[in-house]
């Protein structure tokens, strides 16, 4: 059950936030600036690539690496394929994970390693394997870790991850807001130099400014009725989020939102892109999860009986090119099945800015839902 009174209690939220998730969301803009500075100090801006790599491989543990690969692949488009190397192992522990290069990988390919840990032996072995096969290796991880030493020893480029002291108070959540931007920003700067995407320093500054603006609008001191993130968290209480995305930037933002809900709040969500989402989830909205599927819910004891789980559509939209949009059809399908719908659309700006806004608002919403739903 969601404690809605906690949403409008900044002191209560701070007391419940043992993992500093709200602070991480609020400081996302600052983390981008620090990460961009670390990338510049590491020499990323001085690189003079010979050309685009044939393929970009990304390795790292958990949701942070998955989402980084998803975002970079979306932004890079068809310029060079971006592939995440999935780990194998008997457990998700750092010492148990192993990564392998595909057989075709060689000197014309680029290996990116992104981890908020840096103690994984498997990643150090991967960096050494890549060096022997002639791949260019770039890693973002905390400074002073075994991975940092391995990459530097293999003549790769190491960029220290932008960390803050409270990161080490509790185990880092892979979907924590600060972790994504600390890993992603240096890689954006790097791929800008290779020509795979456009993320010059002034664009990264605009991203940081947009994240700051969202933090001002969605921070814990802003009341629910004027706070888009708190409103979304309250709307998703006791619901199955059905996340529909439209636009290039919205796709990875929606997938990250679903992952953050699962990891931070323990809430399952389904996600799909429009217009295919309308066919993929039509049966879901027409089934027992539809809001009107349980006629006896009207007579439920609101105090003693838990509410039935019903779907709620969350429509994340970037402005579609050419004015073509499936949003009207999405609204009609949801309302036809008595399914409520929440919508988020960023303010105008560049592709990275609108992406950052969608991620930031949904990050705040996932954190508020986690804190206000946690048992106390």
């Amino acid at each position: 059950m969601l404690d809605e009174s906690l949403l409008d209690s900044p002191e209560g939220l701070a007391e419940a936030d043992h993992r500093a998730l709200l602070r991480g969301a609020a400081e996302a803009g600052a983390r981008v600036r620090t990460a961009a500075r670390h990338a510049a100090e590491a020499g990323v801006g001085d690189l003079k690539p010979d050309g685009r790599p044939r393929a970009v491989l990304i390795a790292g543990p958990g949701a942070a690496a998955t989402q980084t690969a998803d975002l970079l692949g979306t932004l890079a488009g068809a310029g060079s394929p971006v592939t995440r190397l999935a780990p194998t192992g008997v457990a998700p522990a750092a010492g148990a994970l192993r990564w392998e290069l595909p057989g075709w990988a060689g000197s014309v390919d680029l290996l990116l390693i992104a981890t908020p840990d840096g103690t994984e032996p498997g990643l150090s072995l991967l960096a050494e394997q890549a060096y022997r096969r002639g791949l260019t290796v770039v890693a973002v991880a905390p400074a002073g870790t075994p991975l940092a030493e391995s990459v530097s020893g293999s003549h790769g480029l190491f960029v220290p991850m932008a960390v803050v002291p409270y990161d080490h108070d509790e185990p880092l959540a892979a979907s924590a807001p600060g972790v994504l931007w600390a890993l992603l920003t240096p890689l954006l700067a790097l791929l800008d130099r290779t020509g795979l995407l456009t993320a010059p320093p002034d664009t990264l500054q605009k991203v940081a400014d947009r994240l700051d603006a969202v933090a001002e609008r969605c921070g814990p001191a802003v009341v629910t009725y004027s706070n888009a993130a708190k409103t979304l968290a309250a709307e998703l209480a006791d619901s199955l989020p059905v996340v529909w995305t439209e636009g290039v930037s919205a796709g990875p933002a929606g997938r990250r939102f679903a992952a953050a809900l699962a990891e931070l709040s323990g809430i399952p969500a389904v996600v799909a892109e429009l217009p295919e989402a309308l066919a993929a989830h039509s049966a879901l909205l027409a089934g027992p999860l539809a809001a009107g599927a349980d006629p006896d819910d009207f007579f439920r004891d609101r105090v003693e009986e838990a509410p039935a789980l019903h779907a709620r559509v969350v429509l994340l939209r970037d402005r579609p090119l050419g004015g073509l949009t499936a949003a009207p059809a999405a609204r009609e399908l949801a309302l036809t099945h008595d399914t409520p719908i929440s919508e988020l659309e960023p303010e105008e700006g560049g592709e990275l800015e609108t992406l950052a806004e969608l991620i930031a608002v949904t990050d705040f919403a996932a954190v508020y839902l986690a804190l206000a739903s946690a048992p106390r």
Side-chain angles (χ1 to χ4, degrees), residues 100-198:
E100 290 291 335
L101 290 174
W104 50 261
S107 59
V108 292
D109 302 313
L110 172 64
L111 172 64
L112 306 179
I113 299 176
T115 173
D117 188 338
T119 65
E120 302 93 343
L123 289 177
S124 296
L125 293 172
L126 179 69
E128 295 167 5
Q129 181 187 9
Y131 171 67
R132 291 194 298 271
R133 289 171 56 173
L135 280 80
T136 300
V137 180
V138 180
V140 182
T145 56
L147 179 62
E149 299 176 6
S150 178
V151 170
S152 299
S154 300
H155 303 284
L157 176 64
F158 177 77
V159 181
M161 178 181 168
V163 298
V164 289
Y166 62 80
D167 273 347
H168 307 290
D169 294 343
E170 294 278 344
L172 280 174
S175 295
V179 174
L180 173 69
W181 293 109
L183 295 176
L184 179 65
T185 303
L187 301 181
L188 288 172
L190 173 76
L191 294 188
D192 174 74
R193 298 298 300 159
T194 67
L196 279 182
L197 49 79
T198 303

Side-chain angles (χ1 to χ4, degrees), residues 15-90:
E15 184 177 349
D17 191 9
H18 304 297
R19 294 181 288 177
L21 297 174
L22 275 176
R23 183 188 279 185
E27 294 178 354
R31 193 79 73 113
V32 168
R33 295 186 184 92
T34 302
R37 187 179 72 250
H38 286 181
E41 292 172 351
V44 169
D46 299 327
L47 295 176
K48 295 179 173 57
D50 295 330
R52 292 185 175 188
R54 178 182 61 178
V56 178
L57 306 174
I58 299 182
T66 301
Q67 292 158 14
T68 298
D70 188 12
L71 288 162
L72 293 178
T74 299
L75 294 169
S80 292
V82 177
T83 304
R84 180 188 177 234
L85 301 180
T88 58
V90 296

Side-chain angles (χ1 to χ4, degrees), residues 215-230:
E216 291 180 6
R217 301 197 311 264
C218 297
V222 181
V223 295
T224 299
Y225 69 83
S226 59
N227 187 320
K230 287 184 178 180

